[in-house]
Every structure is written in structure tokens, then in C-alpha cells.
Amino acid sequence: MLLTVTDRGLYCEAGDFYVDPWLPVPRAVITHAHGDHARWGCDTYLGARDGERVLRTRLGVGATIRFASYGEPVNLNGVRVSLHPAGHILGSAQVRIEHAGEVWVVSGDYKTEPDSTCAPFEPLRCHTFVTESTFGLPIYRWSPEAVALDEIRGWWRTNAALSRASVLFAYSLGKAQRILAGLRDEDIGPIYTHGAIERLNRDYRDSGVAIADTIYASALPRRHDFSNGLILAPPSAGGSLWLRRFGAISTGFASGWMRVRGARRRRTIDRGFVLSDHADWPSLLDAIAATGAERVWVTHGYRGPVVKWLVEHGVEAESVVSGWEGEGETELLDLAVAGEEIVE
Ligand SMILES: [Zn+2]
Ligand SMILES: [Zn+2]
């Protein structure tokens, strides 16, 4: 086995390194800058060059990080490691590990639909594939990104006509910038941001990603008129005092979880927009098949249904419990359960 599951994370003994460890280790190879994958406290990190700015924001100025371009081979104690686009957020990578004729790929989080804020997912051949399964249930199927963006524009336009500010909740790293990239030619009104998102907007712009102009909301006077604006905020700002400055508002939430009506209801938001940075059910199965892997380890979310499907279709598959369950979209995992009513 090229990789084993330890209490600190997925470990490659031959190369003496960990992939996205959940506890501090001497050498970490990082798939992307989301909090459950890029944890603070390791001695050294290897990450993808495209994600340099967001990874430095996540890990802090003191972190020792080596960056490799996508596809560039790095020799770690005789093991050949390379990072390849995962299509999830800026700088997200699949980790390809090759040693003594055996190839493993750890996908991290991924999506196969291209978006303009990151390099598109690259299918890789391997013997063993470690896949995520955040949306590993047949009910999760996404429409193209353009559909959600059109819905967001229509909602914003309607609210602006009614002098009501549009507060859109979206995860601050990745999802918010993807929405801003899609709205960069919009003239309905100004786009305002919460500080958590504005910081990452700067990283995306500095990395050369084209996103809409934004105004940091907290820098404006209290009496500012926000009524035709779109306000992008992290989900944690929901129900907070911070929202009061915007006057009359309508609230929306952009997430893959919005596919399930119960998740909307319990968030007490006015509108849900189905937009995910993770693969949906058909894409997961397609991506797994494209690897040609004879063995699949399933992490995140709905491990059971994905393992069951693979085993029924002749693939050696097992569920792997990891420390990667706590990120962004998965915070709603307990709200969205199998068999709930689907939003059409
Ligand atoms: Zn992620
Ligand atoms: Zn994750």
C-alpha cells in the first residue's frame, strides 16, 4: 500500500509525507486551501502554484510552503509526486503519487464542470483513487452554472426594483469568487462584500482571476443606501447584527445543498440557488470510471452510497474515515438527508 490511513492523516511511508493531514506533521502535501484540508501547524507544505496566495492567507506568513506548477514532478524521498487540477477552487489539486510502478491519486475535493476561477479538472489514470463523496447520492444533479447565475440576476433585479437589498450567502473561499466572476458585467447595482470574502477577493485578483468589482461594506457610512445592491456574505453572517445596516433585505443562499427543500426551509432564507464546487452524483461516477482504478477509497459526505454503488458494479471500494468532513458545504450535511423533497 502506497498510502495508509493513520490518526494524523493519509500517510505515504515510502516518501515519508502526508496528504492533507488533520494533525500537524513534518511534511504535508496539500490539495487546496479549504480549512479541513489545509491545516495550520505542519513543518513544511507542498501546494499548487496557482493557489499560492489563498494558501498563504490560510496558513499564515510563517508557514514554510513549497509550490509546484500543475504537472511538475517533485521527488519526495524517491517518490514521484505531482499536482494536477481538481477544478474545485483556485489552486485546488489532485495529488498523483507514483512509486515502484504503482500510482495513487488523492482527489481532494473536485468538480468536473469548468468555471473561470480555476483550472479545469484533469482526469488521471491510476491504480487506486481516493475520491470525495460530498454529494454522493443520486438526488444530487446540478444544472449548468449559467442557470444559477441567471436566477441570481433575476432575484437581484426584482429586489432592486422594490428597493430591497439582496443578501447572498456563499462560502467565502471559492464559491463567492465564482459568483463574482459570473456577475462581472452586471449593471443592476453595486456589489458589496463582508470582510471575510473581501480578503479572498484580493487574493483571487492578485492571482489574475477576473471577478466583478466589489465594495467592502463595513468601510461605508452607516447611513449608506444599499437598496439596489448585492451583498455577498459568508453563511455565518446569517442572523447577525451585521445584517441590520442594509435596511430592507431579501436573503439567498448559493450551495449544492439548496437542491433539497428541507435544507432551505431550515436555513430560513428567502431563496436557494443550486451551485456547488463539488461533483454531483453522475460526475462522481464518471470521474471515478475515468481513472480506470481497480481500487477506490471514498472519503467525505455520503461514503456509504458511493461504496455500495461501486461494489455492485465490480469495483473494489471502501469507506475511509478522514478529518476532512468539516469544510464549508458539509456544515449543512446534517440538514440535508436522503429522501428529502427535491427542488425543481
Ligand atoms: Zn474544499
Ligand atoms: Zn473537503
Side-chain angles (χ1 to χ4, degrees):
M1 289 272 186
L2 206 41
L3 291 175
T4 50
V5 186
T6 73
D7 56 355
R8 294 202 276 180
L10 270 193
Y11 180 57
C12 177
E13 192 180 359
D16 191 23
F17 62 87
Y18 291 78
V19 180
D20 291 353
W22 41 87
L23 289 173
V25 299
R27 269 172 302 284
V29 179
I30 297 297
T31 62
H32 65 290
H34 276 146
D36 58 328
H37 293 263
R39 301 211 195 216
W40 193 81
C42 297
D43 295 343
T44 63
Y45 298 89
L46 173 68
R49 171 84 54 201
D50 283 26
E52 177 163 357
R53 286 185 170 78
V54 286
L55 210 48
R56 286 207 189 280
T57 292
R58 168 71 65 193
L59 296 173
V61 284
T64 304
I65 315 172
R66 172 180 178 181
F67 293 98
S69 300
Y70 286 133
E72 176 189 343
V74 176
N75 184 327
L76 296 178
N77 299 313
V79 173
R80 183 189 164 106
V81 175
S82 52
L83 304 173
H84 303 262
H88 173 58
I89 62 165
L90 179 62
S92 61
Q94 303 175 76
V95 181
R96 185 184 183 279
I97 303 164
E98 182 177 349
H99 181 64
E102 200 179 344
V103 178
W104 285 54
V105 170
V106 181
S107 67
D109 295 333
Y110 65 94
K111 80 168 179 300
T112 54
E113 185 190 15
D115 83 62
S116 69
T117 63
C118 60
F121 178 84
E122 180 187 332
L124 299 166
R125 306 283 296 180
C126 56
H127 300 103
T128 303
F129 186 53
V130 182
T131 184
E132 63 142 310
S133 62
T134 307
F135 290 103
L137 280 178
I139 58 167
Y140 292 109
R141 288 162 201 269
W142 315 141
S143 300
E145 173 188 283
V147 173
L149 287 169
D150 276 347
E151 288 175 3
I152 290 169
R153 282 187 201 99
W155 167 72
W156 179 12
R157 199 171 284 120
T158 303
N159 290 332
L162 296 168
S163 294
R164 200 164 62 185
S166 305
V167 176
L168 182 58
F169 298 111
Y171 293 107
S172 51
L173 172 54
K175 184 69 60 63
Q177 292 75 29
R178 189 177 165 197
I179 292 167
L180 288 169
L183 297 178
R184 63 184 185 272
D185 299 318
E186 222 47 69
D187 58 0
I188 303 166
I191 302 177
Y192 304 99
T193 49
H194 183 278
I197 288 174
E198 194 53 31
R199 169 84 195 264
L200 291 155
N201 286 350
R202 206 188 312 148
D203 288 337
Y204 267 63
R205 290 187 186 108
D206 290 349
S207 304
V209 179
I211 61 174
D213 292 335
T214 53
I215 303 163
Y216 174 40
S218 298
L220 296 167
R222 278 267 167 186
R223 307 186 72 84
H224 184 82
D225 176 13
F226 290 94
S227 60
N228 66 341
L230 177 73
I231 296 132
L232 268 182
S236 57
S240 69
L241 290 175
W242 181 81
L243 287 177
R244 288 203 185 161
R245 74 191 62 203
F246 303 115
I249 59 170
S250 175
T251 53
F253 192 19
S255 167
W257 298 117
M258 295 300 109
R259 179 97 169 106
V260 177
R261 199 180 297 280
R264 294 187 184 192
R265 207 167 41 229
R266 276 168 251 152
R267 295 292 292 194
T268 60
I269 45 162
D270 301 321
R271 284 290 301 272
F273 304 100
V274 182
L275 187 65
S276 178
D277 290 336
H278 295 267
D280 63 0
W281 172 259
S283 313
L284 275 176
L285 300 183
D286 286 351
I288 292 167
T291 65
E294 57 215 29
R295 183 170 50 219
V296 177
W297 283 4
V298 183
T299 68
H300 285 84
Y302 294 106
R303 299 188 304 268
V306 175
V307 168
K308 183 166 179 282
W309 192 95
L310 291 171
V311 168
E312 282 171 4
H313 290 78
V315 180
E316 189 190 322
E318 58 187 287
S319 174
V320 170
V321 179
S322 73
W324 306 329
E325 319 287 347
E327 164 206 322
E329 299 204 277
T330 51
E331 85 180 24
L332 283 169
L333 196 60
D334 59 327
L335 300 181
V337 295
E340 284 216 64
E341 192 182 355
I342 303 306
V343 179
E344 296 299 351

